[in-house]
Amino acid sequence: MDTSAQRRQFLKSAAAAGLILPGMSMWQQAFAADAAKKLDLGKKHKFSFDALVERARKMAGKPYVAPKTPDKAILEQIDYAEHGKLKYKRDFAPFSDGSGTYPVTYFHMGQFFQKPVRMYLLENGMSQEVEYKTDYFEMPANSPARKLSENIGFAGFRLHENIKRDDWKTQDWVAFLGASYFRAIGDEGQYGLSARGIAVNTATPQGEEFPDFTEFYIEPAKSAEDPVTVYALLDGPSITGAYRFYLTRGKGVTMDVEKFLFIRKDIERFGVAPLTSMFWYSEQNRPFRMDWRPEVHDSDGLALWTGGGERIWRQLNNPEVTRASAFGDDNPRGFGLMQRDRDVSHYLDGVMYHRRPSLWVEPLGAWGKGAVQLVEIPTDDEIHDNIAAFWVPEAPAKAGQSYNFRYRLYWQAHTPYPLEKLAYAKATRLGRGGQEGLPRPKGLTKFVVDFEGDILGTLAYGEYPEAIISVSRGKLSRIKTEPIPDTSLWRAIFDLEVAGNDPVDMRMYLKRGDAPMSETWMYQHLPGLKNWDEQ
């Protein structure tokens, strides 16, 4: 009987003799030339996306079994610092031999990534599992990872830049790591916000559930123009799923996603195409003496393109309590969490917030009725992702139901569908209301919104756009628009008088005659929100 150890030793012996074994895959042949740089792969198995979908369907009909965490006590010792020392050796990167364009490296398990994820390579409809070895990682002699069991598994993977680039070993462009999280760089070469496979019961009383990608199957891109194809199996207490990703490296990163989802248990908030980001503060809510930097955020607004054609910008908030907002729609054209402010002087630190990507979701096919929901969670630091946005179908997700969604993700600096004939909201600021030079009444807040766009340059001298404003409660006054000297910007200004601490939902756009000149600016004013130094 040929055991796994015997099989590996046989392959090493064959490689040492300079043999190329019949039936070996292209990456096995490449690595067999040097036994010290050869991946250990499992047996070949047939693979198809249809079969993966069927597996997910059958899993949903059975009780959920949580994945076991092997060697938990040891993994707990691999904290952030220790995990950072475990670097996958590029010599073992699949497809770095030229059999593909974008090499793959794997993440090690650790204190924060304790669930093993099985990794497979695909070729000609056949899959082979990549078996974990400590040899694959740069690992200090005293690392706790050396005590882990054989073939414990990996935590995730990432794709590196084209092997024709001199810096491919140090530059990656996509990473899948933790639960169903994944992210990509934009066209300015920087990571930022994340996407997820699914969001289950985000910000609900029963608590959020985080299903896991438990298996990945990676098929290489043969050229820079081709996508890397990744298949994934999802499993969680309330849901299972099968995913297919086409990952294309171009202007930023574009991902075509198709997923089949199967509901095990009723889900209160079923979030499709979820995006996760961080918003601490910007120019409109910067607390006094809280931090030395002008702004700190991965995203500054939610952009919406409704099925009816309206373009909306909802400025993000850092609220005092968790808040969820819903924007009802029918067959939306797209939505995204955007980093609209690209001025480096507005951030002034070394982590390059001005280069963080925006992420736009474009539905492929009809999604029907539902709502884009925005969840904003309080945070007092930049280390927490406190913003989530996703599509929620109108009909509730019940046990036994199944779904199929297709959409495209654009990771780039700006929306792939710019506002061609409308101005956009560039900045939002708040201050004390009333007339300058006179005592400022209490309970009166001044709102100042700057707009920019070529259409504003068509205004004749002395011609002013009209600001159309509506609020859910309160009294408006001192409404006006004005050009900002020495810029191409126009500014809308108004005061709001409101009693109590309940939120105020606000909408505004600029118009000339009967025609809109801007997108719709939306904001949720929180009258009871104090500066951090006042709490």
Side-chain angles (χ1 to χ4, degrees), residues 13 76 85 94 202 250 256 265 283 289 300 312 329 370 378 414 431:
S13 300
E76 287 288 346
K85 300 174 184 177
T202 304
D256 280 16
K265 296 166 53 179
E283 69 274 339
R289 290 181 181 173
D300 51 7
I312 296 172
D329 204 355
H414 303 287

Side-chain angles (χ1 to χ4, degrees), residues 180-196:
S180 68
Y181 284 89
F182 58 97
R183 58 183 186 156
I185 64 174
D187 42 359
E188 300 199 24
Q190 182 71 29
Y191 282 111
L193 77 170
S194 301
R196 283 190 277 170

Side-chain angles (χ1 to χ4, degrees), residues 451-469:
F451 288 90
E452 184 172 33
D454 291 343
I455 190 172
L456 296 174
T458 66
L459 291 164
Y461 180 77
E463 183 182 14
Y464 287 73
E466 182 182 2
I468 306 301
I469 309 169

Side-chain angles (χ1 to χ4, degrees), residues 199-511:
V200 177
N201 292 332
T202 304
T204 58
Q206 64 264 48
E208 186 164 8
E209 175 185 319
F210 294 92
D212 299 291
F213 284 138
T214 59
E215 298 177 10
F216 287 108
Y217 300 79
I218 304 173
E219 188 171 14
K222 300 303 182 184
S223 72
E225 291 73 32
D226 296 327
V228 177
T229 305
V230 175
Y231 302 90
L233 183 68
L234 180 91
D235 195 17
S238 301
I239 193 169
T240 66
Y243 290 67
R244 175 166 53 197
F245 299 87
Y246 293 120
L247 313 178
T248 303
R249 181 73 170 104
K251 180 185 178 182
V253 175
T254 303
M255 300 179 176
D256 280 16
V257 184
E258 181 173 18
K259 57 189 179 185
F260 292 84
L261 302 170
F262 305 95
I263 310 300
R264 265 197 180 110
K265 296 166 53 179
D266 293 356
I267 297 175
E268 180 179 344
R269 179 170 282 152
F270 178 50
V272 178
L275 316 178
T276 302
S277 192
M278 180 275 294
F279 177 84
W280 189 9
Y281 62 87
S282 67
E283 69 274 339
Q284 106 274 1
N285 74 320
R286 182 189 177 193
F288 179 60
R289 290 181 181 173
M290 216 258 284
D291 191 87
W292 61 270
R293 293 165 292 181
E295 301 186 34
V296 178
H297 50 78
D298 282 333
S299 307
D300 51 7
L302 171 67
L304 303 163
W305 190 5
T306 71
E310 184 180 15
R311 304 295 291 266
I312 296 172
W313 175 255
R314 166 54 156 82
Q315 177 70 42
L316 295 179
N317 259 326
N318 180 4
E320 78 288 4
V321 296
T322 298
R323 296 190 178 278
S325 303
F327 306 88
D329 204 355
D330 190 353
N331 291 321
R333 300 187 188 187
F335 66 93
L337 289 175
M338 318 302 287
Q339 185 73 319
R340 184 172 274 185
D341 190 340
R342 296 280 163 187
D343 191 331
V344 64
S345 67
H346 293 181
Y347 301 96
L348 298 176
D349 63 8
V351 297
M352 295 182 287
Y353 282 117
H354 65 291
R355 294 187 182 179
R356 302 296 170 101
S358 298
L359 181 49
W360 181 262
V361 180
E362 178 185 2
L364 301 177
W367 280 14
K369 293 183 178 181
V372 175
Q373 294 196 10
L374 173 67
V375 176
E376 298 164 303
I377 302 170
T379 186
D380 61 358
D381 206 337
E382 63 197 287
I383 62 174
H384 305 294
D385 280 346
N386 64 317
I387 302 294
F390 38 74
W391 173 257
V392 179
E394 182 179 64
K398 298 292 186 181
Q401 291 180 333
S402 61
Y403 298 85
N404 173 224
F405 290 97
R406 294 173 55 247
Y407 53 94
R408 183 167 294 141
L409 299 175
Y410 297 88
W411 306 76
Q412 53 194 53
H414 303 287
T415 172
Y417 299 101
L419 296 165
E420 296 179 351
K421 298 181 179 180
L422 295 173
Y424 67 93
K426 186 177 178 65
T428 301
R429 296 179 178 86
L430 280 67
R432 292 180 300 169
Q435 183 174 342
E436 293 80 358
L438 297 178
R440 304 297 179 94
K442 290 186 177 181
L444 197 64
T445 302
K446 185 177 297 296
F447 291 82
V448 178
V449 183
D450 297 343
F451 288 90
E452 184 172 33
D454 291 343
I455 190 172
L456 296 174
T458 66
L459 291 164
Y461 180 77
E463 183 182 14
Y464 287 73
E466 182 182 2
I468 306 301
I469 309 169
S470 62
V471 295
S472 60
R473 67 188 192 89
K475 181 182 178 181
L476 296 169
S477 61
R478 303 182 63 81
I479 301 171
K480 67 176 182 177
T481 62
E482 62 183 18
I484 304 176
D486 299 325
T487 74
S488 60
L489 304 176
W490 276 78
R491 177 170 288 164
I493 306 171
F494 63 92
D495 286 353
L496 173 69
E497 182 180 4
V498 64
N501 294 331
D502 291 340
V504 181
D505 291 314
M506 317 172 76
R507 294 173 62 99
M508 176 176 63
Y509 69 95
L510 303 182
K511 77 168 186 175

